[in-house]
Amino acid sequence: MFKNAVEKINKFYDLDLSKNTHADEMFDVLHEIIKFDSAAIFYLTPNRLSLEYGKNFEIFEDIKISDKLSENIYDENQEILSDEIKKILNISIPGFLCSRLSVKNATLGILIIERKENEFSFDEKLIFKTCAKIIANLIKDLELSKVLKMQVKAMEEGLIETHQAYETIKKQNKKIKSDEKLQNQFIANISHDLRTPLNSIIGFSEALAGKLFGELNSKQQEYIEDIRISGIRLLGMINEVLDIAKIESHTIKLNCSIVNLNSLIDEVCNILKPLLEKKHLQITKKIDTDIIFTADYTKLQQILFNILGNAIKFSDENSEIKIEAYKTIKDIIIKISDYGIGIEKKYHKKIFKKFFQISKNNSSPEASTGLGLTIAKEFIKLHNGQITLESEPNKGTTFIISIPHITEG
């Protein structure tokens, strides 16, 4: 068994978690080494375990834990209290393994695997601990900052009371923030440099598609359209990366002007027209005339682009997308509805989290940053608005945006 583990364990180092936000590949490698039925990674704050990654795992809400268990998980000198964790997770099957995830004395959370038929062997337990250390290092670059922010927030709410804990987390967070600043600046620079040539690609493909340089045969027309669609998708992804870098570095601000909502919606639909045509989707609009108010035009455009883009992605071919907009006494209301796969209620809050994605028809998610809804929500918050959704599996999804009037035109 150890020989097999040594051969398989190197596969962990070939993974790129930034391209797979569900960490399915990480669990797949672990499964090749140790057979299990379900697995989960919980992040730790002083009084809660929060499920971040799961495979065949049925718990979705945060789990409140006792001070004793919290201290035990944080203390690397103690054996983790597996029986107590089984109890709070209501697990009764024979096979259960649990290990803390730590990087340089900073505890991120715990890794759990379960097996229904039989217990894990002594060799499997040893190999599992080794795998847990590797997995902790794999996710540290993506997640350490996030975990520490959770811990600091909990600390500020009075959940960490000892001076020693305060100082430890404060030092960890200071280093992370310094690293984040450099990372965000790098991302912003790269994203900006990529947009210029990509805009040229989209522009020239549109010129060719419009036959400005001569007629095209059917195959050439098809290829040009593919270039346009791929360019639009890639530009959207680059814009999302640039936007999230600005949001996290707190450098993003509103640049308000008078906005005509009817014109804005028409412009976004026109940008996404190639994607709509490729799936033969029909846009139905029900928009009050002359909805004019003050807002950041570019950010509203990005909000609609992201949400409508999702509606296109998760809609079946030859279906319909509805856009409704109207003005109330206090708010501008925009509703975007599709008749696609829908979203289970347990995911309604999670879909706004950074990098969270839902697969379509149980397949791998389409190419995406997993940032679109996160950015949309942040931009709406900048306008003192809110976004909610109504959705059920196989019955489609409606996103509802409400933005207060700043001034009326």
Side-chain angles (χ1 to χ4, degrees), residues 385-404:
Q386 62 179 357
I387 180 170
T388 57
L389 74 150
E390 298 170 354
S391 184
E392 293 181 41
N394 303 314
K395 293 186 179 180
T397 301
T398 297
F399 283 95
I400 304 160
I401 303 165
S402 62
I403 297 176

Side-chain angles (χ1 to χ4, degrees), residues 257-265 289-293 297:
S257 61
I258 300 298
V259 175
N260 184 312
L261 187 60
N262 303 67
S263 300
L264 174 59
I265 291 174
T289 56
D290 299 326
I291 300 180
I292 299 173
F293 61 110
Y297 187 94

Side-chain angles (χ1 to χ4, degrees), residues 23 26-27 39-43 50-55 57 101 109-112 135 139:
M26 182 171 62
F27 286 131
I41 290 176
F42 285 87
Y43 288 158
S50 175
L51 181 68
E52 194 66 23
Y53 301 114
K55 188 175 182 67
F57 210 80
L101 297 171
I110 59 174
L111 170 66
I112 291 170
I135 289 171
I139 66 174

Side-chain angles (χ1 to χ4, degrees), residues 2-31:
F2 283 104
K3 182 180 179 182
N4 175 66
V6 171
E7 292 174 351
K8 302 290 186 182
I9 214 163
N10 286 330
K11 290 187 176 182
F12 279 120
Y13 299 103
D14 295 328
L15 301 180
D16 184 358
L17 294 188
S18 64
K19 296 181 180 179
N20 185 349
T21 59
H22 292 277
D24 290 338
E25 293 179 356
M26 182 171 62
F27 286 131
D28 289 342
V29 173
L30 182 59
H31 189 265

Side-chain angles (χ1 to χ4, degrees), residues 219-235:
K219 185 57 70 175
Q220 289 172 330
Q221 190 77 41
E222 179 185 344
Y223 288 160
I224 290 298
E225 196 63 19
D226 286 342
I227 292 171
R228 285 179 65 201
I229 291 171
S230 298
I232 290 169
R233 284 177 174 159
L234 185 55
L235 182 60

Side-chain angles (χ1 to χ4, degrees), residues 11 21 31 35 55 95 101 117 121 129 137 139 142 162 169 185 209 235 283 290 292 306 309 357 369 382-383 385:
K11 290 187 176 182
T21 59
H31 189 265
K35 300 302 178 186
K55 188 175 182 67
L101 297 171
E117 297 300 327
S121 67
K129 287 187 176 181
N137 279 282
I139 66 174
L142 288 175
T162 68
I169 293 173
Q185 186 60 49
L235 182 60
I283 291 278
D290 299 326
I292 299 173
N306 289 353
Q357 297 183 68
T369 61
L382 280 174
H383 286 85

